[in-house]
Amino acid sequence: MSDPISFRAKLVPSAQKKLLALDGGGILGAISIEYLVRIEGLLRKVLKRDESFVLADYFDYIAGTSTGAIIATCVALGMPAAEIRQFYHDHGPEMFNPSWFIERHKYKYTDENLAKMLRDTIDRRTGETETRFGSEKLRTLLMVVLRNVSTDSPWPLSNNPVAMYNDPRSKDSNLNLPLWRVVRASTAAPTYFPAEQLPVGAQPFTFEDGGVTSFNNPAFQLFLMATVHAYNLRWPAGEKKMLLVSVGTGVAPDVRGYLRPDHFHLLANARRIPSALMAAANAQQDFLCRVFGRCVHGAMIDREIHDMIDPEVDDAQVPGGKGPVQPKLFTYARYNPDLTQSAIDELLPGKGVRAEDVKEMDAVEHIGGMAAIGAAASTRDVEVKHFADFL
């Protein structure tokens, strides 16, 4: 293992900064992890590094929402991607521990197992009794997205020590929060897990899953927190100065051409609207990244704008050239496999992996199929050339 270096080393100005953003999606995080295994392996090979080299040695700032917050924290702590994979496969089923019957009307799963695993894993890695969000054992800057139910607002919390609410001398400094509880709050998906209450100074707030904000895909927010002056990092932007890698948990559009207006009622809307809003927010975050950044990889967004990968546009003929932002502010790669049945069959011919089995965030019994999709898709998608300017 590489000698541990505190995240504070990442604050030092440098010619290039590298960012990693991880979406939410429950146990579908198994797909994201396979992409990280692939990226870590390619970087070791091209940089001629041994197995002690981990993603925390490469990336400067890592963000995650919900299951992405768990994975991002593990990466920031210096865990090898293969170890994170093993953690999910060994403990995934335990995370989704059914709640007592009398509690089912509030949430499907208890949080005791998940909370214990988070705390034990984090504290064992750091060697600290209760690891704080500002712990020097974190090897990268870390951003975790929560939703503050008490104030009805998204809270993207960062361990950036120069951020406004992170003065360690203040009693309500975010850096004093227990790290496992911050991550646990980000995973508190409504109807799945109970909300988490955190005391921020003398004021208790109730939090739930950051996935029900517009930052289930936290990529563009991560870029803003790295560059906007108000966040006090103020890292220089530029397509050769900043790399942003965004990893999703798969996308599965559900086309229902049979629907009629009379199919919509209170219960149906309650079920569909949250996921519809999350899907739209994910797509918008991705689209913004492709507009402001130079996209080197990403699936087609739609047939009108396609994928926006290095568009060949004649600036003299088309006003604005390749878009409203020139020059581009970062290099951008988006990895997020298609989970429709036709796409799975093309990726894993004859393997019998069914789309209906790998779409739900709590389908822990199908984690093997999710991992198989992630392994095959990452082998297809991730190439060294995507990182060429940042090696």
Side-chain angles (χ1 to χ4, degrees):
M1 183 180 297
S2 301
D3 292 335
I5 299 174
S6 165
F7 69 89
R8 292 182 183 274
K10 307 290 188 177
L11 299 172
V12 177
S14 60
Q16 295 182 321
K17 293 294 185 182
K18 289 153 284 191
L19 318 179
L20 174 64
L22 302 166
D23 289 14
I27 202 64
L28 285 158
I31 293 174
S32 305
I33 292 169
E34 294 300 328
Y35 275 94
L36 300 186
V37 170
R38 167 74 173 170
I39 293 169
E40 192 174 76
L42 283 180
L43 291 174
R44 284 174 179 168
K45 183 176 181 180
V46 71
L47 295 173
K48 296 181 171 57
R49 303 291 295 273
D50 61 25
E51 292 188 358
S52 67
F53 177 88
V54 293
L55 292 172
D57 295 317
Y58 181 79
F59 288 102
D60 300 288
Y61 204 165
I62 303 174
T65 303
S66 193
T67 196
I70 298 175
I71 301 169
T73 300
C74 290
V75 173
L77 286 168
M79 289 175 64
E83 187 176 330
I84 303 172
R85 171 208 274 159
Q86 195 64 49
F87 171 74
Y88 262 65
H89 284 260
D90 288 348
H91 300 293
E94 299 173 48
M95 295 182 193
F96 293 87
N97 183 39
S99 61
W100 289 101
F101 178 76
I102 58 174
E103 301 288 350
R104 296 281 173 86
H105 69 288
K106 293 189 280 188
Y107 43 81
K108 291 176 67 176
Y109 304 104
T110 65
D111 65 335
E112 286 89 351
N113 286 355
L114 176 58
K116 184 178 187 303
M117 279 183 280
L118 288 174
R119 183 168 187 172
D120 289 351
T121 300
I122 290 171
D123 290 350
R124 183 168 56 249
R125 190 75 194 180
T126 64
E128 298 173 343
T129 301
E130 186 169 55
T131 307
R132 301 290 165 172
F133 193 40
S135 171
E136 299 285 339
K137 296 298 179 69
L138 285 163
R139 294 172 56 179
T140 73
L141 287 168
L142 175 66
M143 187 261 277
V144 175
V145 182
L146 299 74
R147 177 175 179 264
N148 189 327
V149 185
S150 304
T151 62
D152 194 23
S153 58
W155 272 35
L157 298 185
S158 168
N159 67 338
N160 169 17
V162 293
M164 181 175 181
Y165 296 104
N166 286 355
D167 185 343
R169 296 168 297 180
S170 172
K171 291 183 180 179
D172 59 355
S173 170
N174 291 331
L175 298 184
N176 293 328
L177 294 171
L179 178 55
W180 75 268
R181 294 192 67 183
V182 172
V183 178
R184 159 72 187 97
S186 182
T187 65
T191 75
Y192 286 91
F193 291 103
E196 179 79 8
Q197 190 171 71
L198 278 173
V200 182
Q203 175 66 52
F205 291 110
T206 299
F207 294 92
E208 65 183 12
D209 196 325
V212 292
T213 72
S214 53
F215 309 128
N216 187 57
N217 170 355
F220 195 66
Q221 181 65 20
L222 176 60
F223 162 71
L224 295 177
M225 292 180 75
T227 57
V228 171
H229 276 213
Y231 295 112
N232 293 325
L233 275 182
R234 306 175 186 180
W235 287 348
E239 67 177 74
K240 296 294 180 69
K241 295 179 180 179
M242 183 167 286
L243 171 67
L244 174 55
V245 176
S246 175
V247 184
T249 56
V251 58
D254 188 8
V255 179
R256 301 185 297 274
Y258 60 85
L259 288 177
R260 302 189 308 272
D262 61 342
H263 287 151
F264 294 91
H265 48 78
L266 184 62
L267 182 58
N269 284 335
R271 289 175 176 171
R272 293 177 181 139
I273 287 176
S275 60
L277 292 174
M278 288 172 65
N282 270 20
Q284 181 72 354
Q285 291 279 316
D286 185 18
F287 183 35
L288 287 170
C289 287
R290 300 192 200 205
V291 170
F292 284 81
R294 177 176 70 90
C295 184
V296 295
H297 182 84
M300 183 174 72
I301 294 178
D302 61 40
R303 285 179 290 185
E304 183 172 16
I305 58 177
H306 207 258
D307 58 23
M308 301 181 70
I309 297 175
D310 292 334
E312 295 180 1
V313 178
D314 187 336
D315 291 356
Q317 295 179 9
V318 180
K322 297 179 181 179
V325 182
Q326 292 293 331
K328 296 298 184 181
L329 301 181
F330 50 91
T331 294
Y332 174 67
R334 171 67 169 170
Y335 304 117
N336 196 33
D338 186 340
L339 299 183
T340 58
Q341 191 62 60
S342 59
I344 292 173
D345 290 342
E346 182 178 349
L347 196 61
L348 299 170
K351 298 299 183 181
V353 177
R354 302 189 306 168
E356 62 191 83
D357 293 335
V358 295
K359 289 183 178 181
E360 301 300 328
M361 64 171 283
D362 58 345
V364 291
E365 66 274 23
H366 297 294
I367 190 172
M370 297 172 190
I373 291 169
S378 63
T379 300
R380 176 197 64 194
D381 296 342
V382 182
E383 300 180 68
V384 171
K385 67 180 181 180
H386 301 161
F387 303 82
D389 293 325
F390 296 87
L391 296 173

